[in-house]
Amino acid sequence: MSTPVTTSTPAPARTAIPAHQRGLGGRLLAAVLTPGGAVFVLAAVLLVATIQANPNFGDPGVIMLFLGRTAPIAIAAIGQYYVIVSGEFDLSMGAVIGTQVVLAGNMIGEDPDKVVPVTVLMLLVGAAVGFANGVLTTLLKVPSFIVTLGMMLALGGLVSYLTGGAATGNPVDEFREIGRGRFENVPVLEFLPYPLIILVVLAIAATLLMRRPFGRNLLAVGDNPESAERSGTSVWWLKTRAFMISSLAASVSGILLVGYAGVHPSVGDGYEFTAITAVVLGGVLLGGGRGWVLSAAAGAIALELLFTLLTVKEVESTWRDTVQGVIIIVAVAVAARGWQAGRRPRGSARRAPSTRIPTTPTPGTTNGDN
Amino acid sequence: MRSRLQPLTSTGIVVAVLVLSLVVGAILTAVEGRNFLSSGNIDAVLTGCSILGLIAIGQTLVILVGSLDLSVPFVVSLTSVVAAGQMAGEPANVVPAVLLALGIAAVIGLANGLVVSFLKVHGFIATLGMGLIISGYLGSNYQGSHGLAPRSFRLIDATQIGPVPLTFLIMLGCALLAIVMLRRTRLGHHLYAVGGSPEVARLSGIRTSVPVIAAHVLCSVLAAVAGLLLLSRLSVGSPTIGSQGDYDLMSIAAVVLGGTLLAGGKGNIVGTLAGVAIFAVLDNVMGVMQVNPFLKDVIRGLVIVAAVAVYAGREIDRRPARFDRPTGLDAVLQETK
């Protein structure tokens, strides 16, 4: 049959999940060995390498500046994670960011009183875009790649048409403060940029959300939509909510980016691919069902650290693309191995690793259509 | 309603959408006081088809086998600058330059295929990475236009047979070869099998890596042909010509518009060509009506989603009935098996 059979065994009296059999140290080690954990090691290695190349980077203030600058892309990656883990794509992120930036520039203007209502409006627009993406994908059964590509063209084109493709409008400084402001005189860290605080709050919220039934069901839907549907999950509403989260995350990124960049409709161009790269670098499986939300954020930070390292090492900026390309292929190749190893308990002869001995496949095991 | 009357294949629907867009296009063009079917305009539409058509044929093969190719725009740019540099305006250099360009593209496709099939990297990431690698190389070594195509090579773009440009015939020839390959050869059947379910194909005794690699190599080579045709049109190589055309996303959109399942295993070249033609007609009509270039994107986006939505729903609904009497290409496939 066409239904992919997942790795469900007829449950031969399991005592505990193998990953839980070891002590805390062993479990941490096992976690680091999965792609979702390895990205934290990768980020740490890149941080050390960057500090070694440029000792100034070890200064808390510089790191805080870096994290503040990275927050928008990390938030976008968290949003993209929800869509990818449910087995879909969101290519409309960059266009949403452009839309929000232009909305902020033109509707807030020089009036500080409008900051709150317009921000609410922007979030509503973000949610509406996500809702449209989700409904078109789930109810009209159009592949999300196409829906969000269409949304990217339509929304991006509309915004460029309305603005003439040039930067227009300038929001008041109060609004820009969200993206560029900071708490001064913080012990040890020197200062705390607002974007970093927003990132931390959103990351905690995202982690908690993935532990809620919503998150669990989302993983189940990404792993096997058919079995999730048959066990009573409302697949369309789950995926639609994932798209809404993604567009809302893009909107927050847009709000933060207003503080750094000008109000230009093309400010978000390419964000969707950067976000997808970050998510995949975080070990999240394209095709859904596997991955940790914080790894996606760590993937974004690792990616930005990589760019910083390349700048510090004075690699010609034109070669950066090449290095980025090599790194993501290698990272994902390693991750693909990692998930395969991680899916089957080691040292257990219950299931033959079908990848190692391709001539003797065991019924009931697949190595996933990633 | 239509499906109740008679089982219409998705290719049938795409062709119907194409005919509809041709009629609407002709009417809109007539309203502007121009003749849609004038030889000049037909030439423009067919030329518009040929480049995206070549890339979309390759993309169809890659999508059928269950992968994706996002590196095509950079392959297009790379072949255009490399071939132009090699030709350097000398007619004697044309053949080596073309062979060099096709060879480089084949190596890139081979690398893509090997990474996808042996390193188990998703095609999306493997080719995104490959695209970035090539883009870095292009950015570092080529600023602005490069090289020069001799007059004999530029003739390829200028030649017309009746109202049909030669570039369109080249595209059509490649399409025919691809159709024959998919319908009549072992490789073509394996391509569908692996795209439908790699695991089942493997258990049936197919070496699954071969079709994946072959599809990627063919896709890159077809992108190189597109790059060479662009070179013959522009007469100089340009390192940004591919990314300007958005050929990666537009070719995927054309393939899906043509009724090929993005997950692989189902679809055909004829549908893709119809999808490409819909885009070409749309662009042509919008050009005649002088639509704002930004609004063009809006319309393109809406048309893509709307056109796919027309049949995407029933496509999925029909899937359980795959053991029914097969239609169209599926019938051919089953008979030859």
Side-chain angles (χ1 to χ4, degrees):
Chain A
M1 287 295 285
S2 62
T3 319
V5 186
T6 39
T7 56
S8 59
T9 43
R14 269 188 171 176
T15 45
I17 305 171
H20 290 181
Q21 281 170 349
R22 282 161 284 190
L24 183 64
R27 278 162 67 181
L28 267 182
L29 188 70
V32 164
L33 287 178
T34 65
V39 68
F40 291 94
V41 180
L42 178 68
V45 169
L46 283 169
L47 180 64
V48 171
T50 313
I51 292 174
Q52 228 164 26
N54 178 9
N56 281 339
F57 199 79
D59 190 42
V62 179
I63 289 191
M64 283 299 122
L65 270 182
F66 166 80
L67 287 175
R69 211 175 55 230
T70 311
I73 186 68
I75 291 169
I78 289 176
Q80 184 75 250
Y81 163 85
Y82 280 91
V83 175
I84 287 185
V85 95
S86 75
E88 307 288 346
F89 282 106
D90 188 356
L91 299 182
S92 66
M93 240 174 190
V96 171
I97 291 176
T99 310
Q100 304 295 7
V101 166
V102 168
L103 268 182
N106 289 289
M107 295 198 63
I108 294 179
E110 293 302 312
D111 187 356
D113 292 340
K114 283 190 186 163
V115 169
V116 175
V118 173
T119 308
V120 171
L121 175 77
M122 287 162 70
L123 292 178
L124 285 177
V125 168
V129 171
F131 186 75
N133 280 338
V135 167
L136 286 168
T137 303
T138 52
L139 296 187
L140 286 186
K141 307 256 194 296
V142 180
S144 58
F145 197 93
I146 297 298
V147 171
T148 53
L149 171 65
M151 185 60 85
M152 166 178 131
L153 289 173
L155 208 57
L158 193 65
V159 170
S160 299
Y161 173 67
L162 293 176
T163 58
T168 50
N170 193 15
V172 284
D173 282 343
E174 277 91 338
F175 186 74
R176 293 193 157 218
E177 273 301 292
I178 304 174
R180 60 160 77 133
R182 50 165 88 160
F183 285 116
E184 299 289 350
N185 302 326
V186 177
V188 187
L189 303 176
E190 290 185 23
F191 61 88
L192 261 180
Y194 293 161
L196 180 60
I197 298 169
I198 295 173
L199 169 65
V200 170
V201 170
L202 288 181
I204 292 172
T207 317
L208 293 179
L209 187 57
M210 284 314 285
R211 287 170 169 267
R212 304 270 312 149
F214 168 73
R216 305 287 192 205
N217 283 335
L218 203 63
L219 277 167
V221 165
D223 199 31
N224 189 336
E226 188 151 346
S227 68
E229 175 121 47
R230 295 205 176 175
S231 28
T233 314
S234 167
V235 172
W236 83 269
W237 179 227
L238 263 178
K239 286 195 176 180
T240 302
R241 277 184 286 173
F243 276 106
M244 288 167 76
I245 291 174
S246 172
S247 290
L248 282 173
S251 306
V252 175
S253 290
I255 293 171
L256 296 183
L257 279 173
V258 172
Y260 286 104
V263 183
H264 198 278
S266 68
V267 74
D269 282 8
Y271 244 70
E272 57 280 340
F273 282 114
T274 316
I276 293 174
T277 307
V279 170
V280 172
L281 203 58
V284 180
L285 209 56
L286 275 186
R290 241 151 259 277
W292 191 33
V293 60
L294 288 188
S295 303
I301 292 172
L303 199 61
E304 286 296 318
L305 270 172
L306 177 69
F307 292 148
T308 312
L309 180 63
L310 293 178
T311 313
V312 170
K313 289 268 186 193
E314 289 173 1
V315 175
E316 245 182 286
S317 64
T318 49
W319 279 113
R320 270 196 220 172
D321 279 351
T322 302
V323 178
Q324 189 193 352
V326 173
I327 296 261
I328 63 172
I329 292 181
V330 170
V332 175
V334 172
R337 306 270 135 171
W339 280 126
Q340 275 172 1
R343 285 183 85 166
R344 294 179 186 81
R346 269 182 213 170
S348 141
R350 256 183 307 155
R351 285 181 249 151
S354 62
T355 45
R356 301 255 172 80
I357 314 163
T359 47
T360 57
T362 318
T365 57
T366 70
N367 42 9
D369 7 342
N370 44 336
Chain B
M1 190 185 83
R2 200 188 276 156
S3 59
R4 247 181 249 155
L5 292 173
Q6 62 173 90
L8 195 58
T9 58
S10 53
T11 313
I13 299 179
V14 184
V15 173
V17 172
L18 174 59
V19 170
L20 182 75
S21 64
L22 279 172
V23 171
V24 173
I27 293 171
L28 285 175
T29 316
V31 168
E32 288 285 311
R34 304 255 300 267
N35 183 4
F36 185 76
L37 294 173
S38 69
S39 65
N41 206 42
I42 289 181
D43 176 38
V45 172
L46 294 182
T47 309
C49 279
S50 46
I51 303 293
L52 185 60
L54 277 167
I55 297 167
I57 294 166
Q59 194 73 260
T60 311
L61 300 178
V62 174
I63 290 181
L64 274 181
V65 83
S67 186
L68 269 183
D69 196 341
L70 296 179
S71 67
V72 276
F74 304 103
V75 175
V76 168
S77 308
L78 183 68
T79 48
S80 103
V81 287
V82 166
Q86 188 70 24
M87 285 178 194
E90 292 293 322
N93 289 342
V94 167
V95 175
V98 168
L99 290 179
L100 177 71
L102 295 181
I104 290 176
V107 170
I108 292 170
L110 184 68
N112 281 337
L114 290 174
V115 170
V116 170
S117 57
F118 287 113
L119 295 184
K120 305 273 178 247
V121 177
H122 194 288
F124 186 95
I125 292 298
T127 56
L128 182 68
M130 181 58 79
L132 285 170
I133 292 172
I134 303 173
S135 125
Y137 172 78
L138 285 171
S140 311
N141 291 287
Y142 300 96
Q143 276 83 32
S145 56
H146 179 82
L148 182 69
R151 204 182 109 75
S152 57
F153 190 69
R154 294 209 296 272
L155 275 179
I156 295 177
D157 186 62
T159 310
Q160 283 198 354
I161 299 167
V164 184
L166 182 61
T167 50
F168 183 73
L169 292 178
I170 292 175
M171 189 274 279
L172 223 50
C174 292
L176 280 176
L177 286 177
I179 290 172
V180 170
M181 193 271 279
L182 284 177
R183 290 195 179 188
R184 293 286 170 207
T185 67
R186 178 186 303 205
L187 177 66
H189 294 191
H190 285 184
L191 226 104
Y192 278 101
V194 172
S197 168
E199 191 70 8
V200 171
R202 193 176 66 77
L203 295 179
S204 318
I206 296 176
R207 202 178 285 277
T208 52
S209 54
V210 176
V212 174
I213 294 171
H216 273 288
V217 170
L218 288 174
C219 181
S220 290
V221 169
L222 284 168
V225 175
L228 291 170
L229 291 184
L230 278 172
L231 168 61
S232 98
R233 181 174 306 165
L234 301 175
S235 79
V236 288
S238 156
T240 55
I241 184 79
S243 24
Q244 276 168 6
D246 261 344
Y247 289 124
D248 45 355
L249 296 178
M250 292 319 280
S251 66
I252 294 172
V255 171
V256 176
L257 199 59
T260 299
L261 279 188
L262 201 49
K266 186 176 185 308
N268 58 48
I269 302 280
V270 177
T272 299
L273 291 185
V276 171
I278 292 172
F279 280 144
V281 171
L282 202 64
D283 272 2
N284 184 270
V285 173
M286 289 194 293
V288 170
M289 298 185 68
Q290 296 178 335
V291 177
N292 176 296
F294 295 126
L295 272 187
K296 275 187 191 173
D297 269 350
V298 178
I299 295 169
R300 239 180 247 147
L302 294 179
V303 167
I304 291 172
V305 176
V308 176
V310 168
Y311 56 82
R314 49 184 293 279
E315 192 78 31
I316 307 291
D317 292 339
R318 275 175 55 83
R319 280 192 87 183
R322 72 164 58 157
F323 298 112
D324 284 358
R325 180 107 189 106
T327 50
L329 180 64
D330 299 351
V332 177
L333 275 176
Q334 300 222 333
E335 274 158 27
T336 46
K337 250 180 194 172

